[in-house]
Amino acid sequence: GPFHKECPENSIDIGIAESNMVSTAAGLSKAGFIPVVDTFAAFGVTKGNLPHVMASLSSCPMVAVYSHTGFQDAADGASHQSTTYLANMSSIPNTKVIVVSTSKEAEMLMTEAIESIEYARKNDTEANSFIFFVGRESFPEFYNESLKYKVGAAQTIIEGTDGVIVSNGPLLPKAIQAAELLKAQGKSITVINNATVNSPDLKTIGDALKANSNKLITIEDHQVIGGMGAQLIHALKDSGLEFKSKSLGIQGNFGQSAYTAGQLYSKNGIDEKALVDAFKNL
């Protein structure tokens, strides 16, 4: 809204037509612009999926910002709760899929995305599209002001020795809360933010696993099938690492209406208490 008001000649309201939105952006990209599309994740990754695939095939890079991920759109219910957004988009070639957790992270990675497309064009190389996923409820400006964010790089929020919790987006606070609960019980937990889902930072996370008894728990606001945890564990195993793991996420069911996302997290076993139990079982 503020951007549209400030830059009316640089904004197009397509209406409730998400496929047309992405297709229009592909045309603008072909004409030399760097388009940014924006809608609910539930519709951007479904109605926009084929246009995103064809845009990538036709070398039409763009930036997408898809909001209201997972259970974050609690009140609107299952029809508006996108729980397959990572599985839908992560395997599209020349596409980086990013889940942001703070406004500082979003700003730094968005800047990098735009500069990356511009650089690729100037150097006549294949440019990636960047798809950002954000929640709906409030999230902080930063967790640690000194953290540097870069596409494909993970950030260690808390350092520990007894196990690793990897998360991103709206559930990163749950990982931090679980680490604090376990600290009170004498356990030291590493918490890592893994924002670039389909291009994870295997070195940072792998090194953390080696220093933390090779125990890994992932937690996300997404189906376990095809989610961040599944992609990360697959990549780590392919790199030759051996470790014990547990993935917390949505177990093959739809959501429902609720007053807050937190109620749905608790009901589906993806909160700080579930993390503590998962660590003890692991």
Side-chain angles (χ1 to χ4, degrees), residues 127-153:
N128 288 311
S129 285
F130 296 82
I131 302 180
F132 291 88
F133 290 106
V134 298
R136 178 188 186 185
E137 297 174 7
S138 297
F139 56 96
E141 183 179 356
F142 51 78
Y143 289 108
N144 183 333
E145 195 171 7
S146 66
L147 289 176
K148 302 299 181 184
Y149 296 97
K150 186 174 177 60
V151 174

mmCIF file with all atom_site columns, all heavy atoms in Angstrom, residues 127-153:
data_model
loop_
_atom_site.group_PDB
_atom_site.id
_atom_site.type_symbol
_atom_site.label_atom_id
_atom_site.label_alt_id
_atom_site.label_comp_id
_atom_site.label_asym_id
_atom_site.label_entity_id
_atom_site.label_seq_id
_atom_site.pdbx_PDB_ins_code
_atom_site.Cartn_x
_atom_site.Cartn_y
_atom_site.Cartn_z
_atom_site.occupancy
_atom_site.B_iso_or_equiv
_atom_site.pdbx_formal_charge
_atom_site.auth_seq_id
_atom_site.auth_comp_id
_atom_site.auth_asym_id
_atom_site.auth_atom_id
_atom_site.pdbx_PDB_model_num
ATOM 1   N N   . ALA A 1 127 ? 19.992 -15.578 -14.428 1.00 0.00 ? 127 ALA A N   1
ATOM 2   C CA  . ALA A 1 127 ? 19.590 -14.961 -13.162 1.00 0.00 ? 127 ALA A CA  1
ATOM 3   C C   . ALA A 1 127 ? 18.576 -15.839 -12.442 1.00 0.00 ? 127 ALA A C   1
ATOM 4   O O   . ALA A 1 127 ? 17.718 -16.464 -13.069 1.00 0.00 ? 127 ALA A O   1
ATOM 5   C CB  . ALA A 1 127 ? 18.994 -13.578 -13.411 1.00 0.00 ? 127 ALA A CB  1
ATOM 6   N N   . ASN A 1 128 ? 18.682 -15.879 -11.132 1.00 0.00 ? 128 ASN A N   1
ATOM 7   C CA  . ASN A 1 128 ? 17.702 -16.587 -10.318 1.00 0.00 ? 128 ASN A CA  1
ATOM 8   C C   . ASN A 1 128 ? 16.499 -15.706 -10.022 1.00 0.00 ? 128 ASN A C   1
ATOM 9   O O   . ASN A 1 128 ? 16.613 -14.483 -9.933  1.00 0.00 ? 128 ASN A O   1
ATOM 10  C CB  . ASN A 1 128 ? 18.327 -17.000 -8.982  1.00 0.00 ? 128 ASN A CB  1
ATOM 11  C CG  . ASN A 1 128 ? 19.316 -18.131 -9.114  1.00 0.00 ? 128 ASN A CG  1
ATOM 12  O OD1 . ASN A 1 128 ? 19.022 -19.142 -9.732  1.00 0.00 ? 128 ASN A OD1 1
ATOM 13  N ND2 . ASN A 1 128 ? 20.498 -17.961 -8.542  1.00 0.00 ? 128 ASN A ND2 1
ATOM 14  N N   . SER A 1 129 ? 15.349 -16.344 -9.862  1.00 0.00 ? 129 SER A N   1
ATOM 15  C CA  . SER A 1 129 ? 14.215 -15.687 -9.220  1.00 0.00 ? 129 SER A CA  1
ATOM 16  C C   . SER A 1 129 ? 14.318 -15.940 -7.726  1.00 0.00 ? 129 SER A C   1
ATOM 17  O O   . SER A 1 129 ? 14.914 -16.933 -7.279  1.00 0.00 ? 129 SER A O   1
ATOM 18  C CB  . SER A 1 129 ? 12.886 -16.242 -9.747  1.00 0.00 ? 129 SER A CB  1
ATOM 19  O OG  . SER A 1 129 ? 12.613 -15.756 -11.039 1.00 0.00 ? 129 SER A OG  1
ATOM 20  N N   . PHE A 1 130 ? 13.746 -15.049 -6.934  1.00 0.00 ? 130 PHE A N   1
ATOM 21  C CA  . PHE A 1 130 ? 13.788 -15.164 -5.481  1.00 0.00 ? 130 PHE A CA  1
ATOM 22  C C   . PHE A 1 130 ? 12.369 -15.111 -4.948  1.00 0.00 ? 130 PHE A C   1
ATOM 23  O O   . PHE A 1 130 ? 11.633 -14.156 -5.208  1.00 0.00 ? 130 PHE A O   1
ATOM 24  C CB  . PHE A 1 130 ? 14.615 -14.030 -4.873  1.00 0.00 ? 130 PHE A CB  1
ATOM 25  C CG  . PHE A 1 130 ? 16.063 -14.067 -5.263  1.00 0.00 ? 130 PHE A CG  1
ATOM 26  C CD1 . PHE A 1 130 ? 16.488 -13.546 -6.475  1.00 0.00 ? 130 PHE A CD1 1
ATOM 27  C CD2 . PHE A 1 130 ? 17.018 -14.640 -4.420  1.00 0.00 ? 130 PHE A CD2 1
ATOM 28  C CE1 . PHE A 1 130 ? 17.823 -13.579 -6.848  1.00 0.00 ? 130 PHE A CE1 1
ATOM 29  C CE2 . PHE A 1 130 ? 18.346 -14.687 -4.790  1.00 0.00 ? 130 PHE A CE2 1
ATOM 30  C CZ  . PHE A 1 130 ? 18.753 -14.154 -6.001  1.00 0.00 ? 130 PHE A CZ  1
ATOM 31  N N   . ILE A 1 131 ? 11.980 -16.152 -4.212  1.00 0.00 ? 131 ILE A N   1
ATOM 32  C CA  . ILE A 1 131 ? 10.638 -16.206 -3.645  1.00 0.00 ? 131 ILE A CA  1
ATOM 33  C C   . ILE A 1 131 ? 10.748 -16.125 -2.134  1.00 0.00 ? 131 ILE A C   1
ATOM 34  O O   . ILE A 1 131 ? 11.300 -17.009 -1.478  1.00 0.00 ? 131 ILE A O   1
ATOM 35  C CB  . ILE A 1 131 ? 9.903  -17.478 -4.074  1.00 0.00 ? 131 ILE A CB  1
ATOM 36  C CG1 . ILE A 1 131 ? 9.824  -17.549 -5.605  1.00 0.00 ? 131 ILE A CG1 1
ATOM 37  C CG2 . ILE A 1 131 ? 8.500  -17.522 -3.473  1.00 0.00 ? 131 ILE A CG2 1
ATOM 38  C CD1 . ILE A 1 131 ? 9.127  -18.760 -6.142  1.00 0.00 ? 131 ILE A CD1 1
ATOM 39  N N   . PHE A 1 132 ? 10.254 -15.026 -1.571  1.00 0.00 ? 132 PHE A N   1
ATOM 40  C CA  . PHE A 1 132 ? 10.289 -14.791 -0.130  1.00 0.00 ? 132 PHE A CA  1
ATOM 41  C C   . PHE A 1 132 ? 8.954  -15.182 0.489   1.00 0.00 ? 132 PHE A C   1
ATOM 42  O O   . PHE A 1 132 ? 7.891  -14.831 -0.030  1.00 0.00 ? 132 PHE A O   1
ATOM 43  C CB  . PHE A 1 132 ? 10.558 -13.310 0.162   1.00 0.00 ? 132 PHE A CB  1
ATOM 44  C CG  . PHE A 1 132 ? 11.948 -12.859 -0.188  1.00 0.00 ? 132 PHE A CG  1
ATOM 45  C CD1 . PHE A 1 132 ? 12.242 -12.406 -1.459  1.00 0.00 ? 132 PHE A CD1 1
ATOM 46  C CD2 . PHE A 1 132 ? 12.961 -12.887 0.760   1.00 0.00 ? 132 PHE A CD2 1
ATOM 47  C CE1 . PHE A 1 132 ? 13.526 -11.982 -1.789  1.00 0.00 ? 132 PHE A CE1 1
ATOM 48  C CE2 . PHE A 1 132 ? 14.238 -12.467 0.443   1.00 0.00 ? 132 PHE A CE2 1
ATOM 49  C CZ  . PHE A 1 132 ? 14.533 -12.012 -0.829  1.00 0.00 ? 132 PHE A CZ  1
ATOM 50  N N   . PHE A 1 133 ? 9.034  -15.888 1.604   1.00 0.00 ? 133 PHE A N   1
ATOM 51  C CA  . PHE A 1 133 ? 7.834  -16.249 2.349   1.00 0.00 ? 133 PHE A CA  1
ATOM 52  C C   . PHE A 1 133 ? 7.872  -15.591 3.719   1.00 0.00 ? 133 PHE A C   1
ATOM 53  O O   . PHE A 1 133 ? 8.886  -15.645 4.423   1.00 0.00 ? 133 PHE A O   1
ATOM 54  C CB  . PHE A 1 133 ? 7.729  -17.770 2.500   1.00 0.00 ? 133 PHE A CB  1
ATOM 55  C CG  . PHE A 1 133 ? 7.414  -18.471 1.212   1.00 0.00 ? 133 PHE A CG  1
ATOM 56  C CD1 . PHE A 1 133 ? 8.387  -19.201 0.536   1.00 0.00 ? 133 PHE A CD1 1
ATOM 57  C CD2 . PHE A 1 133 ? 6.144  -18.391 0.649   1.00 0.00 ? 133 PHE A CD2 1
ATOM 58  C CE1 . PHE A 1 133 ? 8.097  -19.838 -0.660  1.00 0.00 ? 133 PHE A CE1 1
ATOM 59  C CE2 . PHE A 1 133 ? 5.841  -19.027 -0.545  1.00 0.00 ? 133 PHE A CE2 1
ATOM 60  C CZ  . PHE A 1 133 ? 6.824  -19.758 -1.203  1.00 0.00 ? 133 PHE A CZ  1
ATOM 61  N N   . VAL A 1 134 ? 6.758  -14.964 4.092   1.00 0.00 ? 134 VAL A N   1
ATOM 62  C CA  . VAL A 1 134 ? 6.659  -14.276 5.378   1.00 0.00 ? 134 VAL A CA  1
ATOM 63  C C   . VAL A 1 134 ? 5.337  -14.649 6.037   1.00 0.00 ? 134 VAL A C   1
ATOM 64  O O   . VAL A 1 134 ? 4.372  -15.008 5.365   1.00 0.00 ? 134 VAL A O   1
ATOM 65  C CB  . VAL A 1 134 ? 6.742  -12.742 5.205   1.00 0.00 ? 134 VAL A CB  1
ATOM 66  C CG1 . VAL A 1 134 ? 8.078  -12.338 4.623   1.00 0.00 ? 134 VAL A CG1 1
ATOM 67  C CG2 . VAL A 1 134 ? 5.611  -12.216 4.340   1.00 0.00 ? 134 VAL A CG2 1
ATOM 68  N N   . GLY A 1 135 ? 5.323  -14.539 7.363   1.00 0.00 ? 135 GLY A N   1
ATOM 69  C CA  . GLY A 1 135 ? 4.101  -14.827 8.098   1.00 0.00 ? 135 GLY A CA  1
ATOM 70  C C   . GLY A 1 135 ? 3.144  -13.656 8.065   1.00 0.00 ? 135 GLY A C   1
ATOM 71  O O   . GLY A 1 135 ? 3.159  -12.821 7.163   1.00 0.00 ? 135 GLY A O   1
ATOM 72  N N   . ARG A 1 136 ? 2.298  -13.592 9.069   1.00 0.00 ? 136 ARG A N   1
ATOM 73  C CA  . ARG A 1 136 ? 1.338  -12.504 9.158   1.00 0.00 ? 136 ARG A CA  1
ATOM 74  C C   . ARG A 1 136 ? 1.458  -11.759 10.486  1.00 0.00 ? 136 ARG A C   1
ATOM 75  O O   . ARG A 1 136 ? 1.425  -10.548 10.533  1.00 0.00 ? 136 ARG A O   1
ATOM 76  C CB  . ARG A 1 136 ? -0.084 -13.046 9.024   1.00 0.00 ? 136 ARG A CB  1
ATOM 77  C CG  . ARG A 1 136 ? -1.144 -11.964 9.154   1.00 0.00 ? 136 ARG A CG  1
ATOM 78  C CD  . ARG A 1 136 ? -2.539 -12.561 9.214   1.00 0.00 ? 136 ARG A CD  1
ATOM 79  N NE  . ARG A 1 136 ? -3.553 -11.513 9.187   1.00 0.00 ? 136 ARG A NE  1
ATOM 80  C CZ  . ARG A 1 136 ? -4.845 -11.728 9.327   1.00 0.00 ? 136 ARG A CZ  1
ATOM 81  N NH1 . ARG A 1 136 ? -5.291 -12.949 9.508   1.00 0.00 ? 136 ARG A NH1 1
ATOM 82  N NH2 . ARG A 1 136 ? -5.707 -10.738 9.291   1.00 0.00 ? 136 ARG A NH2 1
ATOM 83  N N   . GLU A 1 137 ? 1.606  -12.513 11.573  1.00 0.00 ? 137 GLU A N   1
ATOM 84  C CA  . GLU A 1 137 ? 1.662  -11.903 12.885  1.00 0.00 ? 137 GLU A CA  1
ATOM 85  C C   . GLU A 1 137 ? 3.014  -11.207 13.080  1.00 0.00 ? 137 GLU A C   1
ATOM 86  O O   . GLU A 1 137 ? 3.964  -11.460 12.353  1.00 0.00 ? 137 GLU A O   1
ATOM 87  C CB  . GLU A 1 137 ? 1.408  -12.965 13.953  1.00 0.00 ? 137 GLU A CB  1
ATOM 88  C CG  . GLU A 1 137 ? 0.008  -13.572 13.827  1.00 0.00 ? 137 GLU A CG  1
ATOM 89  C CD  . GLU A 1 137 ? -0.242 -14.729 14.773  1.00 0.00 ? 137 GLU A CD  1
ATOM 90  O OE1 . GLU A 1 137 ? 0.605  -14.996 15.639  1.00 0.00 ? 137 GLU A OE1 1
ATOM 91  O OE2 . GLU A 1 137 ? -1.292 -15.376 14.632  1.00 0.00 ? 137 GLU A OE2 1
ATOM 92  N N   . SER A 1 138 ? 3.101  -10.339 14.069  1.00 0.00 ? 138 SER A N   1
ATOM 93  C CA  . SER A 1 138 ? 4.292  -9.515  14.274  1.00 0.00 ? 138 SER A CA  1
ATOM 94  C C   . SER A 1 138 ? 5.552  -10.355 14.446  1.00 0.00 ? 138 SER A C   1
ATOM 95  O O   . SER A 1 138 ? 5.533  -11.422 15.055  1.00 0.00 ? 138 SER A O   1
ATOM 96  C CB  . SER A 1 138 ? 4.110  -8.640  15.519  1.00 0.00 ? 138 SER A CB  1
ATOM 97  O OG  . SER A 1 138 ? 3.028  -7.747  15.335  1.00 0.00 ? 138 SER A OG  1
ATOM 98  N N   . PHE A 1 139 ? 6.668  -9.868  13.885  1.00 0.00 ? 139 PHE A N   1
ATOM 99  C CA  . PHE A 1 139 ? 7.952  -10.498 14.117  1.00 0.00 ? 139 PHE A CA  1
ATOM 100 C C   . PHE A 1 139 ? 8.976  -9.397  14.355  1.00 0.00 ? 139 PHE A C   1
ATOM 101 O O   . PHE A 1 139 ? 8.772  -8.258  13.956  1.00 0.00 ? 139 PHE A O   1
ATOM 102 C CB  . PHE A 1 139 ? 8.350  -11.423 12.969  1.00 0.00 ? 139 PHE A CB  1
ATOM 103 C CG  . PHE A 1 139 ? 8.378  -10.786 11.610  1.00 0.00 ? 139 PHE A CG  1
ATOM 104 C CD1 . PHE A 1 139 ? 9.575  -10.306 11.072  1.00 0.00 ? 139 PHE A CD1 1
ATOM 105 C CD2 . PHE A 1 139 ? 7.226  -10.690 10.839  1.00 0.00 ? 139 PHE A CD2 1
ATOM 106 C CE1 . PHE A 1 139 ? 9.616  -9.732  9.814   1.00 0.00 ? 139 PHE A CE1 1
ATOM 107 C CE2 . PHE A 1 139 ? 7.255  -10.118 9.570   1.00 0.00 ? 139 PHE A CE2 1
ATOM 108 C CZ  . PHE A 1 139 ? 8.453  -9.636  9.066   1.00 0.00 ? 139 PHE A CZ  1
ATOM 109 N N   . PRO A 1 140 ? 10.079 -9.724  15.027  1.00 0.00 ? 140 PRO A N   1
ATOM 110 C CA  . PRO A 1 140 ? 10.988 -8.670  15.500  1.00 0.00 ? 140 PRO A CA  1
ATOM 111 C C   . PRO A 1 140 ? 11.817 -8.042  14.390  1.00 0.00 ? 140 PRO A C   1
ATOM 112 O O   . PRO A 1 140 ? 11.926 -8.579  13.288  1.00 0.00 ? 140 PRO A O   1
ATOM 113 C CB  . PRO A 1 140 ? 11.886 -9.413  16.490  1.00 0.00 ? 140 PRO A CB  1
ATOM 114 C CG  . PRO A 1 140 ? 11.874 -10.820 16.012  1.00 0.00 ? 140 PRO A CG  1
ATOM 115 C CD  . PRO A 1 140 ? 10.500 -11.060 15.474  1.00 0.00 ? 140 PRO A CD  1
ATOM 116 N N   . GLU A 1 141 ? 12.425 -6.898  14.731  1.00 0.00 ? 141 GLU A N   1
ATOM 117 C CA  . GLU A 1 141 ? 13.338 -6.254  13.786  1.00 0.00 ? 141 GLU A CA  1
ATOM 118 C C   . GLU A 1 141 ? 14.579 -7.113  13.602  1.00 0.00 ? 141 GLU A C   1
ATOM 119 O O   . GLU A 1 141 ? 15.080 -7.255  12.492  1.00 0.00 ? 141 GLU A O   1
ATOM 120 C CB  . GLU A 1 141 ? 13.731 -4.867  14.299  1.00 0.00 ? 141 GLU A CB  1
ATOM 121 C CG  . GLU A 1 141 ? 14.619 -4.098  13.327  1.00 0.00 ? 141 GLU A CG  1
ATOM 122 C CD  . GLU A 1 141 ? 14.975 -2.720  13.846  1.00 0.00 ? 141 GLU A CD  1
ATOM 123 O OE1 . GLU A 1 141 ? 14.474 -2.325  14.908  1.00 0.00 ? 141 GLU A OE1 1
ATOM 124 O OE2 . GLU A 1 141 ? 15.764 -2.040  13.160  1.00 0.00 ? 141 GLU A OE2 1
ATOM 125 N N   . PHE A 1 142 ? 15.080 -7.715  14.671  1.00 0.00 ? 142 PHE A N   1
ATOM 126 C CA  . PHE A 1 142 ? 16.230 -8.606  14.597  1.00 0.00 ? 142 PHE A CA  1
ATOM 127 C C   . PHE A 1 142 ? 16.295 -9.418  15.889  1.00 0.00 ? 142 PHE A C   1
ATOM 128 O O   . PHE A 1 142 ? 15.695 -9.059  16.901  1.00 0.00 ? 142 PHE A O   1
ATOM 129 C CB  . PHE A 1 142 ? 17.539 -7.829  14.393  1.00 0.00 ? 142 PHE A CB  1
ATOM 130 C CG  . PHE A 1 142 ? 17.746 -6.711  15.375  1.00 0.00 ? 142 PHE A CG  1
ATOM 131 C CD1 . PHE A 1 142 ? 18.182 -6.955  16.670  1.00 0.00 ? 142 PHE A CD1 1
ATOM 132 C CD2 . PHE A 1 142 ? 17.495 -5.391  15.002  1.00 0.00 ? 142 PHE A CD2 1
ATOM 133 C CE1 . PHE A 1 142 ? 18.363 -5.932  17.580  1.00 0.00 ? 142 PHE A CE1 1
ATOM 134 C CE2 . PHE A 1 142 ? 17.668 -4.360  15.903  1.00 0.00 ? 142 PHE A CE2 1
ATOM 135 C CZ  . PHE A 1 142 ? 18.104 -4.639  17.196  1.00 0.00 ? 142 PHE A CZ  1
ATOM 136 N N   . TYR A 1 143 ? 17.033 -10.551 15.850  1.00 0.00 ? 143 TYR A N   1
ATOM 137 C CA  . TYR A 1 143 ? 17.324 -11.325 17.053  1.00 0.00 ? 143 TYR A CA  1
ATOM 138 C C   . TYR A 1 143 ? 18.687 -10.948 17.610  1.00 0.00 ? 143 TYR A C   1
ATOM 139 O O   . TYR A 1 143 ? 18.917 -10.982 18.802  1.00 0.00 ? 143 TYR A O   1
ATOM 140 C CB  . TYR A 1 143 ? 17.266 -12.825 16.751  1.00 0.00 ? 143 TYR A CB  1
ATOM 141 C CG  . TYR A 1 143 ? 15.861 -13.314 16.515  1.00 0.00 ? 143 TYR A CG  1
ATOM 142 C CD1 . TYR A 1 143 ? 15.433 -13.668 15.248  1.00 0.00 ? 143 TYR A CD1 1
ATOM 143 C CD2 . TYR A 1 143 ? 14.952 -13.396 17.565  1.00 0.00 ? 143 TYR A CD2 1
ATOM 144 C CE1 . TYR A 1 143 ? 14.133 -14.086 15.026  1.00 0.00 ? 143 TYR A CE1 1
ATOM 145 C CE2 . TYR A 1 143 ? 13.649 -13.817 17.349  1.00 0.00 ? 143 TYR A CE2 1
ATOM 146 C CZ  . TYR A 1 143 ? 13.249 -14.166 16.079  1.00 0.00 ? 143 TYR A CZ  1
ATOM 147 O OH  . TYR A 1 143 ? 11.964 -14.575 15.865  1.00 0.00 ? 143 TYR A OH  1
ATOM 148 N N   . ASN A 1 144 ? 19.594 -10.633 16.718  1.00 0.00 ? 144 ASN A N   1
ATOM 149 C CA  . ASN A 1 144 ? 20.930 -10.194 17.102  1.00 0.00 ? 144 ASN A CA  1
ATOM 150 C C   . ASN A 1 144 ? 21.361 -9.166  16.071  1.00 0.00 ? 144 ASN A C   1
ATOM 151 O O   . ASN A 1 144 ? 21.522 -9.492  14.889  1.00 0.00 ? 144 ASN A O   1
ATOM 152 C CB  . ASN A 1 144 ? 21.896 -11.384 17.138  1.00 0.00 ? 144 ASN A CB  1
ATOM 153 C CG  . ASN A 1 144 ? 23.282 -11.004 17.604  1.00 0.00 ? 144 ASN A CG  1
ATOM 154 O OD1 . ASN A 1 144 ? 23.711 -9.858  17.446  1.00 0.00 ? 144 ASN A OD1 1
ATOM 155 N ND2 . ASN A 1 144 ? 24.003 -11.955 18.184  1.00 0.00 ? 144 ASN A ND2 1
ATOM 156 N N   . GLU A 1 145 ? 21.543 -7.942  16.507  1.00 0.00 ? 145 GLU A N   1
ATOM 157 C CA  . GLU A 1 145 ? 21.787 -6.847  15.575  1.00 0.00 ? 145 GLU A CA  1
ATOM 158 C C   . GLU A 1 145 ? 23.071 -7.044  14.768  1.00 0.00 ? 145 GLU A C   1
ATOM 159 O O   . GLU A 1 145 ? 23.212 -6.504  13.674  1.00 0.00 ? 145 GLU A O   1
ATOM 160 C CB  . GLU A 1 145 ? 21.850 -5.518  16.339  1.00 0.00 ? 145 GLU A CB  1
ATOM 161 C CG  . GLU A 1 145 ? 21.752 -4.299  15.449  1.00 0.00 ? 145 GLU A CG  1
ATOM 162 C CD  . GLU A 1 145 ? 21.589 -3.020  16.237  1.00 0.00 ? 145 GLU A CD  1
ATOM 163 O OE1 . GLU A 1 145 ? 21.693 -3.065  17.482  1.00 0.00 ? 145 GLU A OE1 1
ATOM 164 O OE2 . GLU A 1 145 ? 21.341 -1.973  15.618  1.00 0.00 ? 145 GLU A OE2 1
ATOM 165 N N   . SER A 1 146 ? 23.998 -7.841  15.291  1.00 0.00 ? 146 SER A N   1
ATOM 166 C CA  . SER A 1 146 ? 25.279 -8.031  14.613  1.00 0.00 ? 146 SER A CA  1
ATOM 167 C C   . SER A 1 146 ? 25.239 -9.097  13.523  1.00 0.00 ? 146 SER A C   1
ATOM 168 O O   . SER A 1 146 ? 26.195 -9.242  12.770  1.00 0.00 ? 146 SER A O   1
ATOM 169 C CB  . SER A 1 146 ? 26.361 -8.397  15.637  1.00 0.00 ? 146 SER A CB  1
ATOM 170 O OG  . SER A 1 146 ? 26.091 -9.664  16.226  1.00 0.00 ? 146 SER A OG  1
ATOM 171 N N   . LEU A 1 147 ? 24.146 -9.844  13.431  1.00 0.00 ? 147 LEU A N   1
ATOM 172 C CA  . LEU A 1 147 ? 24.066 -10.917 12.441  1.00 0.00 ? 147 LEU A CA  1
ATOM 173 C C   . LEU A 1 147 ? 24.078 -10.359 11.021  1.00 0.00 ? 147 LEU A C   1
ATOM 174 O O   . LEU A 1 147 ? 23.427 -9.363  10.722  1.00 0.00 ? 147 LEU A O   1
ATOM 175 C CB  . LEU A 1 147 ? 22.806 -11.752 12.645  1.00 0.00 ? 147 LEU A CB  1
ATOM 176 C CG  . LEU A 1 147 ? 22.761 -12.661 13.879  1.00 0.00 ? 147 LEU A CG  1
ATOM 177 C CD1 . LEU A 1 147 ? 21.410 -13.346 13.970  1.00 0.00 ? 147 LEU A CD1 1
ATOM 178 C CD2 . LEU A 1 147 ? 23.881 -13.688 13.846  1.00 0.00 ? 147 LEU A CD2 1
ATOM 179 N N   . LYS A 1 148 ? 24.824 -11.028 10.145  1.00 0.00 ? 148 LYS A N   1
ATOM 180 C CA  . LYS A 1 148 ? 24.869 -10.675 8.737   1.00 0.00 ? 148 LYS A CA  1
ATOM 181 C C   . LYS A 1 148 ? 24.089 -11.720 7.944   1.00 0.00 ? 148 LYS A C   1
ATOM 182 O O   . LYS A 1 148 ? 24.309 -12.918 8.107   1.00 0.00 ? 148 LYS A O   1
ATOM 183 C CB  . LYS A 1 148 ? 26.310 -10.603 8.239   1.00 0.00 ? 148 LYS A CB  1
ATOM 184 C CG  . LYS A 1 148 ? 27.181 -9.616  9.000   1.00 0.00 ? 148 LYS A CG  1
ATOM 185 C CD  . LYS A 1 148 ? 26.651 -8.194  8.895   1.00 0.00 ? 148 LYS A CD  1
ATOM 186 C CE  . LYS A 1 148 ? 27.549 -7.215  9.647   1.00 0.00 ? 148 LYS A CE  1
ATOM 187 N NZ  . LYS A 1 148 ? 26.991 -5.831  9.621   1.00 0.00 ? 148 LYS A NZ  1
ATOM 188 N N   . TYR A 1 149 ? 23.181 -11.245 7.112   1.00 0.00 ? 149 TYR A N   1
ATOM 189 C CA  . TYR A 1 149 ? 22.334 -12.158 6.342   1.00 0.00 ? 149 TYR A CA  1
ATOM 190 C C   . TYR A 1 149 ? 22.770 -12.173 4.884   1.00 0.00 ? 149 TYR A C   1
ATOM 191 O O   . TYR A 1 149 ? 23.031 -11.132 4.279   1.00 0.00 ? 149 TYR A O   1
ATOM 192 C CB  . TYR A 1 149 ? 20.875 -11.723 6.441   1.00 0.00 ? 149 TYR A CB  1
ATOM 193 C CG  . TYR A 1 149 ? 20.326 -11.810 7.837   1.00 0.00 ? 149 TYR A CG  1
ATOM 194 C CD1 . TYR A 1 149 ? 20.275 -10.688 8.658   1.00 0.00 ? 149 TYR A CD1 1
ATOM 195 C CD2 . TYR A 1 149 ? 19.865 -13.016 8.352   1.00 0.00 ? 149 TYR A CD2 1
ATOM 196 C CE1 . TYR A 1 149 ? 19.770 -10.763 9.953   1.00 0.00 ? 149 TYR A CE1 1
ATOM 197 C CE2 . TYR A 1 149 ? 19.360 -13.102 9.637   1.00 0.00 ? 149 TYR A CE2 1
ATOM 198 C CZ  . TYR A 1 149 ? 19.321 -11.970 10.430  1.00 0.00 ? 149 TYR A CZ  1
ATOM 199 O OH  . TYR A 1 149 ? 18.825 -12.055 11.706  1.00 0.00 ? 149 TYR A OH  1
ATOM 200 N N   . LYS A 1 150 ? 22.840 -13.375 4.321   1.00 0.00 ? 150 LYS A N   1
ATOM 201 C CA  . LYS A 1 150 ? 23.209 -13.554 2.924   1.00 0.00 ? 150 LYS A CA  1
ATOM 202 C C   . LYS A 1 150 ? 22.472 -14.774 2.396   1.00 0.00 ? 150 LYS A C   1
ATOM 203 O O   . LYS A 1 150 ? 22.287 -15.765 3.119   1.00 0.00 ? 150 LYS A O   1
ATOM 204 C CB  . LYS A 1 150 ? 24.725 -13.743 2.786   1.00 0.00 ? 150 LYS A CB  1
ATOM 205 C CG  . LYS A 1 150 ? 25.230 -13.802 1.347   1.00 0.00 ? 150 LYS A CG  1
ATOM 206 C CD  . LYS A 1 150 ? 26.742 -13.838 1.306   1.00 0.00 ? 150 LYS A CD  1
ATOM 207 C CE  . LYS A 1 150 ? 27.245 -13.960 -0.130  1.00 0.00 ? 150 LYS A CE  1
ATOM 208 N NZ  . LYS A 1 150 ? 26.809 -12.845 -0.983  1.00 0.00 ? 150 LYS A NZ  1
ATOM 209 N N   . VAL A 1 151 ? 22.038 -14.721 1.151   1.00 0.00 ? 151 VAL A N   1
ATOM 210 C CA  . VAL A 1 151 ? 21.330 -15.853 0.555   1.00 0.00 ? 151 VAL A CA  1
ATOM 211 C C   . VAL A 1 151 ? 22.229 -17.092 0.617   1.00 0.00 ? 151 VAL A C   1
ATOM 212 O O   . VAL A 1 151 ? 23.386 -17.050 0.197   1.00 0.00 ? 151 VAL A O   1
ATOM 213 C CB  . VAL A 1 151 ? 20.940 -15.546 -0.900  1.00 0.00 ? 151 VAL A CB  1
ATOM 214 C CG1 . VAL A 1 151 ? 20.343 -16.788 -1.566  1.00 0.00 ? 151 VAL A CG1 1
ATOM 215 C CG2 . VAL A 1 151 ? 19.948 -14.382 -0.953  1.00 0.00 ? 151 VAL A CG2 1
ATOM 216 N N   . GLY A 1 152 ? 21.703 -18.175 1.166   1.00 0.00 ? 152 GLY A N   1
ATOM 217 C CA  . GLY A 1 152 ? 22.464 -19.420 1.265   1.00 0.00 ? 152 GLY A CA  1
ATOM 218 C C   . GLY A 1 152 ? 23.291 -19.550 2.523   1.00 0.00 ? 152 GLY A C   1
ATOM 219 O O   . GLY A 1 152 ? 23.928 -20.582 2.727   1.00 0.00 ? 152 GLY A O   1
ATOM 220 N N   . ALA A 1 153 ? 23.279 -18.538 3.385   1.00 0.00 ? 153 ALA A N   1
ATOM 221 C CA  . ALA A 1 153 ? 24.057 -18.588 4.624   1.00 0.00 ? 153 ALA A CA  1
ATOM 222 C C   . ALA A 1 153 ? 23.124 -18.706 5.819   1.00 0.00 ? 153 ALA A C   1
ATOM 223 O O   . ALA A 1 153 ? 22.135 -17.986 5.912   1.00 0.00 ? 153 ALA A O   1
ATOM 224 C CB  . ALA A 1 153 ? 24.921 -17.336 4.767   1.00 0.00 ? 153 ALA A CB  1
#
